[in-house]
Amino acid sequence: MLFTPYRLAGLGLPNRIVMPPMTRSRAGRGEVATELMAQYYAQRAGAGLIVSEGTQISRQGQGYAWTPGIHTPEQIAGWRRVTDAVHAAGGRIFAQLWHVGRVSHVALQDGGAAPVSSSALVAEGVKVFVDVEGRGPEAGVGEMVQHSAPRALHADEIPAIVADYAQAARNAIAAGFDGIELHGANGYLINQFIDSQANARDDEYGGSLPNRLRFLREVAQAVGDAIGAERVGVRLAPLTTLQGAVDDTPQATYLAAAKLLDDIGVAYLHIAEADWDDAPGMPDAFREALRLIYRGTLIYSGKYTKARAEQALARGWADLIGFGRPFIANPDLPYRLQHDLPLNEGDRSRYFGGGAEGYTDYPRAA
């Protein structure tokens, strides 16, 4: 079933395999996507759908060294090289748009400003990658440091960030992307508004569940109005607690989020499952409830094997399956899965930063 053609937002996808977003920290000066990145993505165009690594919607939205942006003309032109290469290889690609919120550092912010968040809460032990020596991505030398203490956004600042998302979506279409995915997972800004223990606000963006979902609703509506909801996906991590984002009633919260996004009419939900060793499984009842509440395409990612993927598709929980880290070392992953071939092992020491080694030099099976 992985190789049954599938349609998404009017796109004829050749299979049900998704390459999900994976930060690789290879952007050039000015956070511009490079020719090397174009080669990397084009090598993996056999995926039914590629979702790009997170690309920040503004300088304020950056949380790690050497991640690409999509808010300057140079960044748009850089991504155009990537999308042209993917399309020439027969692929389809969405841009993942993110604002990291508090998961940043003063060294990455204009003028050394504090990062922003829903609330002035520090996630202890949550670290970000900083180029402390200023040597650039080619050197691959940086340091993981505790994120800086954030300040809470004032309510009158929020519309400008919503507008940044909408403009980033327009920029993505101008750069040749087939659509965009909002990063609403993994403890980043949208997630910091949603989850109850990351949101201590007492205004219209905090407290009750509808208030905590307000920022998600405003952003999803704005990007849908900008480029069409049929070109918009949203990534959520309903039952994980990554980077200090914890919710007291996660099943109720995320089923409500799914209903909200169904009402807006976004093209898909991308569900990020826990993928660490001994991680808790997602209850079948939650998957079934999500399928009933959300009527669009459902993508699941999180340590899937071919067998697990085919089971999820057969049971109707998922329409597409994301294979993350296997795509790093296997540019021809769909071919290998289709023919039950062994997979290359990735070089973890070269996951972030550096050049072609450990990035575009993995061998193909055929």
Side-chain angles (χ1 to χ4, degrees):
M1 292 185 65
L2 276 170
F3 300 95
T4 302
Y6 194 81
R7 298 190 65 81
L8 171 67
L11 303 174
L13 305 186
N15 56 60
R16 295 172 181 251
I17 297 171
V18 174
M19 176 179 161
M22 292 178 287
T23 297
R24 301 303 309 277
S25 297
R26 257 55 173 210
R29 299 289 179 182
E31 292 72 53
V32 173
T34 64
E35 291 287 354
L36 186 64
M37 290 171 62
Q39 181 183 350
Y40 167 79
Y41 282 107
Q43 287 176 344
R44 291 153 179 80
L49 175 67
I50 293 172
V51 184
S52 82
E53 62 206 274
T55 184
Q56 53 262 11
I57 63 169
S58 63
R59 177 70 186 277
Q60 184 192 67
Q62 184 174 4
Y64 306 89
W66 317 325
T67 56
I70 196 160
H71 54 91
T72 72
E74 295 78 14
Q75 291 166 356
I76 295 168
W79 278 118
R80 170 60 78 171
R81 290 194 293 267
V82 174
T83 61
D84 284 350
V86 169
H87 291 150
R92 297 290 181 269
I93 184 168
F94 275 40
Q96 190 190 62
L97 305 183
W98 70 348
H99 187 306
V100 301
R102 70 184 178 186
V103 188
S104 186
H105 193 273
V106 293
L108 296 165
Q109 298 290 314
D110 275 336
V116 299
S117 183
S118 60
S119 306
L121 300 174
V122 172
E124 295 293 346
V126 173
K127 296 183 177 182
V128 297
F129 188 73
V130 177
D131 184 355
V132 292
E133 298 180 13
R135 294 172 60 184
E138 299 83 4
V141 177
E143 183 178 344
M144 295 294 293
V145 299
Q146 168 70 40
H147 82 80
S148 299
R151 67 171 180 84
L153 283 162
H154 299 296
D156 61 6
E157 294 179 286
I158 292 175
I161 295 179
V162 173
D164 285 342
Y165 274 104
Q167 186 58 53
R170 295 185 193 97
N171 293 347
I173 299 305
F177 284 100
D178 298 293
I180 67 97
E181 177 179 290
L182 293 174
H183 199 340
N186 296 8
Y188 298 120
L189 185 61
I190 292 174
N191 203 180
Q192 291 159 30
F193 276 90
I194 295 173
D195 284 359
S196 57
Q197 293 189 32
N199 185 337
R201 302 179 73 94
D202 59 5
D203 63 3
E204 64 268 35
Y205 291 94
S208 70
L209 178 54
N211 282 0
R212 287 186 283 111
L213 293 175
R214 185 185 301 272
F215 184 64
L216 169 65
R217 176 175 58 79
E218 291 180 353
V219 172
Q221 189 67 65
V223 297
D225 290 346
I227 65 170
E230 73 281 0
R231 292 185 176 190
V232 176
V234 180
R235 193 174 209 208
L236 300 173
L239 306 182
T240 65
T241 56
L242 291 173
Q243 302 196 116
V246 179
D247 190 75
D248 292 322
T249 58
Q251 294 198 31
T253 293
Y254 283 92
L255 291 176
K259 177 62 168 65
L260 178 159
L261 294 167
D262 186 69
D263 290 344
I264 291 173
V266 301
Y268 70 77
L269 296 186
H270 186 174
I271 304 301
E273 297 186 59
D275 63 355
W276 54 89
D277 291 339
D278 300 323
M282 183 171 285
D284 291 355
F286 179 79
R287 297 178 192 271
E288 291 161 3
L290 191 62
R291 174 57 89 185
L292 289 172
I293 287 172
Y294 179 72
R295 294 169 292 178
T297 294
L298 283 171
I299 304 171
Y300 279 84
S301 297
K303 219 171 186 178
Y304 274 87
T305 62
K306 180 180 178 180
R308 281 192 66 222
E310 291 184 335
Q311 180 187 51
L313 294 171
R315 297 189 67 172
W317 295 334
D319 301 299
L320 303 168
I321 299 291
F323 293 83
R325 283 182 285 272
F327 256 117
I328 290 176
N330 299 276
D332 56 347
L333 182 65
Y335 179 86
R336 289 176 185 262
L337 292 175
Q338 184 172 19
H339 296 281
D340 295 312
L341 299 176
L343 302 184
N344 300 321
E345 288 293 326
D347 181 352
R348 291 176 177 268
S349 71
R350 301 187 184 279
Y351 276 4
F352 306 107
E357 190 173 357
Y359 189 58
T360 56
D361 62 346
Y362 287 105
R364 306 177 73 90

